[in-house]
Amino acid sequence: MIFDTQQTLIASAAADSKGNVYLGTGHDGKIYKVDPSGKGTVVADLNELDIFALAVDSKDVLYAGASPNGKVYRIEPGGAPKEFFDPGTKYIWSMVFDKQGRLLVGTGDKGVIYRVESDGKGAPFYDTDETHIVSLAVDRDGNIIAGGDPKGYLYRISPEGKAFVLYDSGLREVHAIAIGSDGRI
């Protein structure tokens, strides 16, 4: 064991450029930073239940997607969390940065993907035929790959917002997505 959060679950993880790993937990809404030596500290204790999504931008700023209040928080290195984006939904399930540095936010209870600029202003980018967008990735061409629930579809959405169902898993949800170096999903 490297580090024990002593929380019920670790719901999300993200790494920064310095090798620090951030862990979003549930059901106390805490975020931990584990440095390369394995030392862990609490970096945020949000007034939320679960941190289902974490993302780190090119400047090592941490973004946390919280539920059930459905808000995104921005946490500067060494700083306090600040509300960054509120899409007015219940769940923030997934987040990833696109090739232009905009934050894409996969939400639930309506299955909408939001695109958020660096100033925190966002708008719906794509409204899927799902209830929840639980996973997001960006391929080497800048397409957004999104996994949904309850239909279990895997979508490919162009940067302009044109979508195509790549795969019907036949299962309820596509919970995680990885893009290989050769472009395979």
Side-chain angles (χ1 to χ4, degrees), residues 109-151:
D109 53 350
K110 298 197 175 34
V112 176
I113 300 169
Y114 291 84
R115 188 162 53 192
V116 186
E117 301 294 333
S118 61
D119 61 2
K121 292 185 175 138
F125 169 67
Y126 186 75
D127 188 352
T128 69
D129 193 25
E130 299 274 8
T131 304
H132 304 281
I133 296 301
V134 292
S135 54
L136 286 171
V138 176
D139 72 13
R140 61 185 176 192
D141 296 326
N143 296 304
I144 294 89
I145 309 300
D149 171 89
K151 295 182 178 180

Side-chain angles (χ1 to χ4, degrees), residues 89-104:
T89 62
K90 191 168 175 104
Y91 301 102
I92 306 296
W93 291 116
S94 53
M95 297 187 305
V96 68
F97 285 93
D98 68 10
K99 299 277 185 189
Q100 291 75 36
R102 299 171 294 202
L103 184 64
L104 298 165

Side-chain angles (χ1 to χ4, degrees), residues 4 7 9 14 17-18 40 48 59-60 68 73 83 110 115 120 140 144 159 162 183:
D4 183 359
Q7 297 297 300
L9 61 99
S17 68
K18 297 175 180 79
E48 301 277 358
K59 296 177 184 169
D60 287 335
Y73 295 86
E83 189 176 314
K110 298 197 175 34
R115 188 162 53 192
R140 61 185 176 192
I144 294 89
K162 295 186 184 208

Side-chain angles (χ1 to χ4, degrees), residues 12-18 20-25 29-34 41-46 51-65 71-85 95 97 103:
S12 55
D16 68 15
S17 68
K18 297 175 180 79
N20 298 303
V21 176
Y22 296 92
L23 305 172
T25 66
K30 292 182 180 176
I31 302 168
Y32 293 84
K33 174 183 167 182
V34 181
T41 55
V42 175
V43 294
D45 187 355
L46 301 176
I51 310 302
F52 289 129
L54 293 173
V56 178
D57 71 10
S58 62
K59 296 177 184 169
D60 287 335
V61 176
L62 177 66
Y63 294 80
K71 294 179 183 175
V72 176
Y73 295 86
R74 178 183 164 110
I75 306 165
E76 297 273 348
K82 294 183 178 153
E83 189 176 314
F84 177 69
F85 177 65
M95 297 187 305
F97 285 93
L103 184 64

